[in-house]
Amino acid sequence: MRQLSIRRGTLALIRAQLGIFLLAMLGGVFYFGTRLVPGWIEKLTFDRLTLGPAADPSLSLGALVGLLLAVEVVRSLVDYGGKMSETLIRNRGGSLMRANVVHNLLRRPGALPLPVPPGDAVVRLDDDVADFADFPTWLPYLAGEGLFTLAALAILFQIAPRITFVALLPLVGVLLLNRLAFRRMLHYSRESRQAAGEVGGFLGEILGAVQAVKVAGAGDGVIGYFRVLNEERRRVSVRESVFGALFQALSANMGDIAVALMVVLIGGALARREISVGDFVLFGSYLFFAAQFPAMIGSYLSEIAQERAVLDRLQELQPEALPESLVAERDVSGSEWDRQARNVPPAASKAPLPEDLSLITVRGLTSRFPGGGGIEGVDLDLAPGSLTVITGPVGAGKTTLLRALLGLLPRECGDIFWQGQAVEDPADFFVPPRSAYTPQVPRLFSETLRENILLGAPAGHDDLWAAVEAAVLAPDVARLEQGLETVVGPRGVRLSGGQVQRAAAARMLVRRPALLVMDDLSSALDVETEQQLWENLTTVRPGEAPATMLVVSHRRPALRRADQIVVLSGGQIVARGQLPELLERSPELQALWQGRSVSESDSQAASLRHNQ
């Protein structure tokens, strides 16, 4: 898998907010650089107190104290501005990366599952993104601390060259230590984040399957496994923390040991009167801060190992996308979304179709799964205003056919034509008002029924209610305490299975598409409601063109109304035609019509005997 380098990722985040970053960088350099001033003022003060007339007479003690106060006030204001800049960099960088990840996930074929469990995905979008978005804020500190250290050592070198040379030894030691420990830090960081992701992922699965756990009486087992995962997370997190703390302690102690050694040496120089008391104070002032630089370098190097693990985990979340897309420039200020909201097209019921639908043609459509299954070489013609029913035994590839046609699954080969024009990107093309899709298991959100049907479509009340009535949902809405304003709960848990299906049908119908694609739409309905639903779907309103329908179903009401029935077996079309003729010559349809279950292998064998 290609990797986004830490350097390129960091530079991309910097470019996306260059002005704020430059302000933060200037603030960091100023804040740390002006540490030189208090130390120099302390030197002049002690020289004046100890040397008397021999000291520099240009500034009085009062002037030195006033200058010190002024410098500290300015440094405090600059530090406040730097903290604000860091917050903006961190928040904007995180928003940019999250927007890019979500955009890349939405660009994937819609029927493909998330590469990681949803709970783990939330952990990565939260913690991992936050870590990398914070990484550029290290640079102002490093630049300021580094320039201060270089300037301080240059000044001290003028006073005592041999003693100052000792200050370089900790930095060399930290770099050697990092070379030895980097791979282990990277390994521990990956382990820790993987364990945290597994805990988050399993927790998300628990919350999404509470009913299944309770019905199976598996609560104790689930909690026990959750404790195992949590214990593993604790173990690897402690190991990462201890190793990181050890590395940083060694880095810091190297600086402290160097400071102690330099203080002894400079004390000897003071005793021999080779330097003044002011010089001794200057050494003490500068060394206190300069000694922190090796420790900061050590922390930064350990942070690099963590960021490598972070970028790898985020790329696993969007495997099909280019690594560079993780930090691609994007407007996350809200103005783009506001502009899109202002330019929302008119209600679907009033929006003119891009073109009148005359014919949809599919040739050689193939979409196979790595472990086997799928469809191969499917040819299909959908006449305008027709009802085509796809049927066949379980595992025949019916749902796969719909999803491949709509671009929800990747196609290996094959062509799709709308009005004779090739459809290059079905996922972008087959959207309202061209088409709308109701999957086999509709998904509702924990919002009101109205919001679940509209999903942002700006349809008027009449259009919404017409869709509700066409989906045979009006009687149910009348019985709900708050009607369309009833909150349906997570995944529509407050509705029955049939109500969920009809709410999804209303969501499709309110957009008035030219092509309706439905997967086993009426499987949870009673006979009377199912009859009424298909009656409504196939009834053409005055002044409106009939919709073209592509349906997966084995239900008799759908099969009776079909203009064309397509029988799949083993991912291939084994029969097509109208109901009477297929009941005579298709073993698969005969079994489905009579309510007999038929396995895929039985279906293929029967089809082979029939063809012979």
Side-chain angles (χ1 to χ4, degrees):
M1 181 177 69
R2 285 184 54 197
Q3 290 182 323
L4 173 66
S5 69
I6 296 174
R7 179 183 62 83
R8 292 185 64 182
T10 304
L11 290 177
L13 290 185
I14 291 173
R15 284 195 300 269
Q17 43 196 338
L18 185 58
I20 297 174
F21 180 80
L22 290 178
L23 287 176
M25 182 67 76
L26 291 174
V29 170
F30 179 85
Y31 177 77
F32 288 101
T34 49
R35 280 178 177 171
L36 296 167
V37 178
W40 192 257
I41 292 175
E42 292 170 4
K43 167 184 164 54
L44 295 178
T45 301
F46 278 91
D47 281 346
R48 179 173 291 277
L49 292 175
T50 57
L51 299 180
D56 185 359
S58 58
L59 291 174
S60 65
L61 285 176
L64 290 174
V65 172
L67 179 60
L68 179 61
L69 290 175
V71 169
E72 290 301 324
V73 169
V74 174
R75 290 182 72 245
S76 297
L77 294 175
V78 171
D79 185 45
Y80 176 78
K83 298 296 184 186
M84 294 293 293
S85 299
E86 289 173 25
T87 301
L88 289 174
I89 292 171
R90 188 179 300 113
N91 291 344
R92 291 188 178 184
S95 298
L96 173 68
M97 295 180 69
R98 292 185 183 100
N100 283 329
V101 172
V102 172
H103 174 78
N104 290 335
L105 288 177
L106 293 177
R107 293 291 302 169
R108 301 176 75 235
L112 292 180
L114 278 174
V116 300
D120 188 12
V122 172
V123 171
R124 299 186 191 208
L125 284 172
D126 185 9
D127 297 343
D128 291 359
V129 168
D131 276 353
F132 195 79
D134 179 68
F135 193 60
T137 64
W138 280 78
L139 297 181
Y141 284 92
L142 283 172
E145 188 76 37
L147 289 176
F148 165 82
T149 302
L150 290 175
L153 293 179
I155 294 172
L156 298 180
F157 187 82
Q158 298 296 322
I159 299 173
R162 288 180 296 177
I163 297 175
T164 306
F165 178 76
V166 178
L168 299 177
L169 298 180
L171 185 58
V172 175
V174 168
L175 295 177
L176 291 176
L177 183 63
N178 176 73
R179 187 175 182 84
L180 295 174
F182 181 81
R183 289 186 180 277
R184 187 160 294 274
M185 285 191 295
L186 179 59
H187 174 69
Y188 288 162
S189 180
R190 283 175 172 165
E191 273 193 338
S192 177
R193 293 182 181 277
Q194 179 66 25
E198 289 178 356
V199 170
F202 188 65
L203 182 59
E205 292 178 357
I206 292 175
L207 295 176
V210 171
Q211 179 176 307
V213 172
K214 290 178 69 67
V215 169
D220 291 341
V222 167
I223 295 301
Y225 184 63
F226 183 71
R227 286 173 176 166
V228 170
L229 291 178
N230 216 24
E231 175 62 22
E232 176 64 14
R233 178 179 66 168
R234 184 198 63 78
R235 186 181 67 82
V236 298
S237 296
V238 168
R239 186 168 61 183
E240 180 196 22
S241 299
V242 168
F243 190 81
L246 177 63
F247 179 82
Q248 293 180 23
L250 290 174
S251 302
N253 287 334
M254 286 181 183
D256 293 339
I257 292 172
V259 169
L261 180 60
M262 292 176 70
V263 168
V264 171
L265 294 175
I266 201 67
L270 177 64
R272 294 189 299 270
R273 297 185 181 277
E274 296 175 359
I275 60 173
S276 67
V277 174
D279 293 334
F280 180 81
V281 172
L282 184 66
F283 259 87
S285 175
Y286 284 1
L287 288 178
F288 176 78
F289 295 109
Q292 299 177 10
F293 188 59
M296 176 175 282
I297 289 294
S299 298
Y300 181 73
L301 294 176
S302 65
E303 189 74 14
I304 289 177
Q306 296 181 32
E307 301 314 320
R308 179 68 271 155
V310 162
L311 288 181
D312 291 344
R313 280 169 52 82
L314 290 174
Q315 186 58 35
E316 290 171 2
L317 191 55
Q318 47 166 42
E320 296 88 3
L322 294 174
E324 295 79 10
S325 67
L326 181 61
V327 288
E329 290 193 36
R330 182 181 301 277
D331 181 8
V332 294
S333 64
S335 58
E336 179 182 355
W337 296 316
D338 291 342
R339 182 168 58 254
Q340 290 176 353
R342 288 193 298 269
N343 295 330
V344 169
S349 59
K350 298 180 176 60
L353 292 175
E355 300 136 345
D356 291 334
L357 174 59
S358 61
L359 181 66
I360 297 175
T361 306
V362 178
R363 292 291 179 266
L365 185 60
T366 299
S367 178
R368 288 174 289 211
F369 301 110
I375 58 170
E376 183 175 1
V378 171
D379 294 337
L380 200 61
D381 294 296
L382 305 181
S386 65
L387 169 58
T388 299
V389 175
I390 309 294
T391 192
V394 175
K398 304 182 293 296
T399 296
T400 302
L401 171 57
L402 297 190
R403 291 177 173 178
L405 171 65
L406 298 175
L408 301 176
L409 284 176
R411 51 175 171 163
E412 293 181 21
C413 60
D415 299 301
I416 303 171
F417 301 91
W418 175 288
Q419 297 245 92
Q421 300 295 318
V423 176
E424 301 298 337
D425 188 351
D428 281 343
F429 187 87
F430 286 109
V431 295
R434 289 192 183 97
S435 72
Y437 170 56
T438 299
Q440 191 172 18
V441 182
R443 177 61 61 91
L444 299 187
F445 300 91
S446 186
E447 299 292 343
T448 66
L449 183 56
R450 177 191 299 273
E451 291 168 334
N452 270 285
I453 293 173
L454 292 178
L455 284 185
H461 177 76
D462 292 343
D463 297 321
L464 172 60
W465 194 249
V468 169
E469 289 183 329
V472 201
L473 191 60
D476 301 82
V477 172
R479 288 191 293 270
L480 295 175
E481 183 177 351
Q482 293 180 291
L484 289 172
E485 305 308 322
T486 301
V487 177
V488 301
R491 302 191 179 188
V493 69
R494 297 181 182 175
L495 303 179
S496 69
Q499 288 171 330
V500 169
Q501 283 188 328
R502 283 174 286 149
R507 176 191 294 170
M508 174 181 61
L509 295 171
V510 78
R511 286 156 172 78
R512 296 287 182 85
L515 173 65
L516 298 176
V517 182
M518 297 166 274
D519 192 348
D520 210 6
L521 177 63
S522 59
S523 60
L525 303 184
D526 59 73
V527 175
E528 183 179 349
T529 304
E530 182 181 27
Q531 292 280 5
Q532 186 60 53
L533 176 62
W534 285 110
E535 179 69 26
N536 293 348
L537 290 174
T538 55
T539 299
V540 181
R541 296 183 181 182
E544 294 184 3
T548 304
M549 287 183 279
L550 177 61
V551 177
V552 165
S553 182
H554 63 276
R555 310 282 287 189
R556 290 191 175 190
L559 295 171
R560 286 194 181 101
R561 287 176 167 80
D563 299 299
Q564 174 186 213
I565 298 174
V566 176
V567 182
L568 283 183
S569 179
Q572 297 180 322
I573 296 177
V574 295
R576 74 174 80 215
Q578 294 184 326
L579 181 61
E581 58 179 298
L582 290 180
L583 286 176
E584 293 181 2
R585 61 182 178 87
S586 171
E588 296 85 0
L589 191 59
Q590 292 169 4
L592 292 170
W593 186 262
Q594 295 168 11
R596 292 186 285 107
S597 61
V598 55
S599 68
E600 185 62 29
S601 58
D602 292 340
S603 172
Q604 293 178 16
S607 297
L608 181 60
R609 289 194 301 270
H610 178 76
N611 293 332
Q612 290 174 342

